[in-house]
Amino acid sequence: AAGVIQSPRHLIKEKRETATLKCYPIPRHDTVYWYQQGPGQDPQFLISFYEKMQSDKGSIPDRFSAQQFSDYHSELNMSSLELGDSALYFCASSSSGGLGETQYFGPGTRLLVL
Amino acid sequence: GDSVTQMEGPVTLSEEAFLTINCTYTATGYPSLFWYVQYPGEGLQLLLKATKADDKGSNKGFEATYRKETTSFHLEKGSVQVSDSAVYFCALGSLKTSYDKVIFGPGTSLSVIP
């Protein structure tokens, strides 16, 4: 069965650079979520989109922005990168706006900021 | 706000031992409850879930029962294997908005030794 696809899988950037992470949800899933997992930490919710509109917002820094496109894929844009942004970034998808539906996670993008 | 508490790790067990990882939650209403597993260097995989009180989720020999009266969702397995070594996250689907976000516990690292 098709799963959530994230690209790139690994990314190395320097401080103050920008990065764009991409997420392709499971086919027919209309809701996308972004999470950040720091080293040794549990994943923390950043932001979500339903039908191309932002549906919820968590602990996402102002330096980050995200959007969902007409084909339901999503991109997380990160600017002015800081060392503390080094983490594993997960995308998850679900159907029907997410209410009561299971979220399926992608393999994650590991970002290292030097 | 909604939160999840798990027993502290790391947990080290011998192969074929009985496993219990305690999980309790605080939430408004009756959220869906999940156990996710993260194998070394990999992403999050849904292990099992329960969507209402007294539901039992099960998968790969793991079980957890949604206990509303004790607000718990303890993970159990009768006989662990070396391949079960991973970090286990208890999680709930927040019902604060119409679009659930998953709130994770801190994770419990399990090491199974031969």
Side-chain angles (χ1 to χ4, degrees), chain A residues 51-52 66-77:
Chain A
E51 285 290 346
K52 302 177 283 293
Q67 57 182 325
Q68 186 180 31
F69 295 85
S70 57
D71 64 351
Y72 296 108
H73 93 273
S74 178
E75 295 183 3
L76 177 66
N77 298 293

Side-chain angles (χ1 to χ4, degrees), chain A residues 31-109:
Chain A
T31 309
V32 170
Y33 310 77
W34 286 97
Y35 294 82
Q36 177 191 57
Q37 185 181 26
Q41 304 295 313
D42 55 293
Q44 296 291 318
F45 171 73
L46 292 178
I47 195 167
S48 62
F49 292 87
Y50 168 59
E51 285 290 346
K52 302 177 283 293
M53 300 288 289
Q54 181 182 308
S55 54
D56 198 2
K57 193 172 181 180
S59 51
I60 184 169
D62 292 341
R63 299 177 289 109
F64 295 4
S65 65
Q67 57 182 325
Q68 186 180 31
F69 295 85
S70 57
D71 64 351
Y72 296 108
H73 93 273
S74 178
E75 295 183 3
L76 177 66
N77 298 293
M78 310 161 71
S79 62
S80 302
L81 287 169
E82 302 174 356
L83 296 179
D85 296 329
S86 296
L88 189 55
Y89 290 84
F90 287 110
C91 171
S93 74
S94 68
S95 60
S96 304
L99 183 61
E101 295 293 325
T102 300
Q103 293 181 25
Y104 294 91
F105 285 75
T109 294

Side-chain angles (χ1 to χ4, degrees), chain B residues 70-81:
Chain B
T70 54
T71 60
S72 65
F73 193 55
H74 304 322
L75 182 69
E76 296 182 337
K77 186 175 185 182
S79 176
V80 293
Q81 305 300 312

Side-chain angles (χ1 to χ4, degrees), chain A residues 6 9 16 25 63:
Chain A
Q6 290 188 245
R9 294 292 309 276
R16 292 181 288 278
R63 299 177 289 109

Side-chain angles (χ1 to χ4, degrees), chain B residues 8-39:
Chain B
E8 300 250 346
V11 174
T12 302
L13 295 174
S14 298
E15 207 164 21
E16 299 183 4
F18 185 85
L19 168 71
T20 299
I21 301 178
N22 290 336
C23 169
T24 57
Y25 67 91
T26 301
T28 305
Y30 306 109
S32 296
L33 300 175
F34 308 92
W35 277 99
Y36 284 89
V37 58
Q38 187 172 31
Y39 297 101

Side-chain angles (χ1 to χ4, degrees), chain A residues 1-5 24-30 72 93-94 103-105:
Chain A
V4 177
I5 297 171
Y24 298 87
I26 291 171
R28 290 180 293 282
H29 278 191
D30 50 21
Y72 296 108
S93 74
S94 68
Q103 293 181 25
Y104 294 91
F105 285 75

